[in-house]
Amino acid sequence: MKKRFLLLILLLLLSLSIQSQTEIGIKGGLNFTFFKVTEGDFGTNPDTEVGYYGGVFADFEIENGFHLQPELLYIGISDFRFLNAPIYLKYAIRPDFNILVGPSLNYFFDFFSNKFKVRVDLGLDYEFSSSLSLHMKYALGFEELSPNIVFLGFGYKL
């Protein structure tokens, strides 16, 4: 089921890319998760966990340096897994440096009883070339048991 959902999203992004000359790509890296609470069993280190993430993105150019960049990421933190689907408004501060902001929709497979959460993401993206970029983003959780996460990784436009 999960593989079919991811394949469907990838095919949708590919079809949008063909129709509107949108750029698509892959991204991945490390995440650093900061839990806000001391109760609960979050593993051997309840304050901070290091994990990984990977997924796909599409970059739709709007105008005057503005872009819309939806993403679909699979995130792993210790024994926990979830899908992260941010929808960013991206603005080019310089031709190679971008700021991203937007809501982030999250589906937790095994972390919370309330499996769906909405968060806010803030990010920076530096483009080394037309294909390779370095990005950092901060995902802010609003609820008591919703962790804050810092993502650091690379993106590659296909």
Side-chain angles (χ1 to χ4, degrees):
M1 178 75 174
K2 294 177 208 172
K3 290 180 182 178
R4 288 182 187 166
F5 179 71
L6 292 175
L7 182 61
L8 178 65
I9 295 297
L10 181 60
L11 290 174
L12 178 64
L13 292 175
L14 284 171
S15 69
L16 289 172
S17 175
I18 291 169
Q19 291 176 3
S20 65
Q21 300 305 316
T22 299
E23 296 180 309
I24 63 167
I26 57 174
K27 62 172 34 184
L30 296 176
N31 61 55
F32 305 91
T33 305
F34 306 95
F35 295 98
K36 294 182 184 178
V37 296
T38 55
E39 65 258 7
D41 183 15
F42 293 114
T44 57
N45 185 357
D47 296 328
T48 306
E49 290 283 346
V50 177
Y52 61 90
Y53 68 97
V56 296
F57 68 92
D59 188 334
F60 301 92
E61 185 174 356
I62 300 172
E63 64 180 39
N64 298 329
F66 284 97
H67 296 245
L68 186 64
Q69 183 173 308
E71 300 179 356
L72 181 62
L73 305 173
Y74 181 81
I75 299 173
I77 305 166
S78 188
D79 293 330
F80 307 110
R81 309 286 179 258
F82 64 99
L83 289 177
N84 172 252
I87 303 168
Y88 294 123
L89 180 60
K90 178 177 168 183
Y91 178 69
I93 297 171
R94 295 186 343 197
D96 59 351
F97 189 68
N98 305 288
I99 187 166
L100 300 95
V101 63
S104 175
L105 310 174
N106 298 272
Y107 179 79
F108 293 85
F109 297 115
D110 50 9
F111 198 56
F112 299 104
S113 58
N114 179 8
K115 296 190 176 278
F116 182 75
K117 299 203 178 294
V118 178
R119 307 159 65 84
V120 172
D121 289 2
L122 303 168
L124 299 172
D125 183 69
Y126 178 77
E127 297 174 359
F128 293 109
S129 69
S130 61
S131 298
L132 184 64
S133 66
L134 172 69
H135 59 268
M136 182 180 82
K137 73 174 184 173
Y138 181 72
L140 178 63
F142 295 115
E143 299 176 27
E144 183 177 344
L145 286 174
S146 186
N148 296 329
I149 306 173
V150 174
F151 296 84
L152 183 62
F154 290 96
Y156 185 78
K157 291 181 183 173
L158 303 174

